[in-house]
Amino acid sequence: QLQLVESGGGLVQPGGSLRLSCAASGFTLDYYAIGWFRQAPGKEREGVSCISSSDGSTYYADSVKGRFTISRDNAKNTVYLQKHSLKPADTAVYYCAALHVVTTDCLPYEYDYWGPGTQVTVSS
C-alpha cells in the first residue's frame, strides 16, 4: 500500500526555521514527482514547492522563493522541505503528495497520493 507520512511540523517563532520530512512506504520515490502543499484555515490548498523525479528540477511558489528548499534523498525514500525566515503567513497544514509523472507541476489536483499533513504554526 502506497503511503506518505509527513513529520517535523510544530510551533516556531517568526524568523525561525523548520525542516519537514515526507517519508514514503510501499513504493519507491525515485519515479515520482513530489510536492509540498499547504492549506491555511479558510483558504484553498496551494502548491509550495515541487521536485521532479528525473533531474531534480524544482518549482517554488513566489511567496517562498529564497526561504524554502526542497530536496530528496532517494536512498532514504524521503523528501524534505527546509524552511527558513518563517512568517506568520506560513502558518498552515503542510502536506506532501506524489505523482507518477516526470514533472515539476505543482497543482494539487494533479497529485495522486497524499499524506495526512503536519501543522506548522508561526507565532510569537
Side-chain angles (χ1 to χ4, degrees):
Q1 183 178 359
L2 279 66
Q3 190 173 16
L4 295 169
V5 178
E6 304 92 343
S7 61
L11 174 64
V12 63
Q13 292 188 340
S17 299
L18 277 178
R19 188 178 78 160
L20 304 184
S21 299
C22 172
S25 60
F27 68 109
T28 303
L29 280 180
D30 302 39
Y31 306 109
Y32 288 75
I34 303 297
W36 283 99
F37 302 85
R38 68 185 180 187
Q39 189 165 19
K43 295 188 176 181
E44 292 186 356
R45 192 169 297 187
E46 63 172 347
V48 175
S49 182
C50 295
I51 186 166
S52 170
S53 60
S54 59
D55 59 359
S57 298
T58 57
Y59 162 88
Y60 294 95
D62 288 343
S63 58
V64 306
K65 280 181 182 176
R67 301 189 298 121
F68 291 10
T69 302
I70 191 170
S71 62
R72 59 194 306 154
D73 185 337
N74 288 340
K76 294 184 178 180
N77 222 26
T78 300
V79 173
Y80 304 98
L81 185 68
Q82 180 68 56
K83 304 158 59 171
H84 296 295
S85 303
L86 283 163
K87 306 174 182 180
D90 295 316
T91 295
V93 178
Y94 283 73
Y95 302 88
C96 67
L99 174 62
H100 198 187
V101 171
V102 178
T103 183
T104 53
D105 285 354
C106 216
L107 298 171
Y109 68 83
E110 294 185 327
Y111 283 71
D112 300 315
Y113 306 104
W114 290 81
T118 184
Q119 175 71 46
V120 172
T121 303
V122 184
S123 175
S124 55

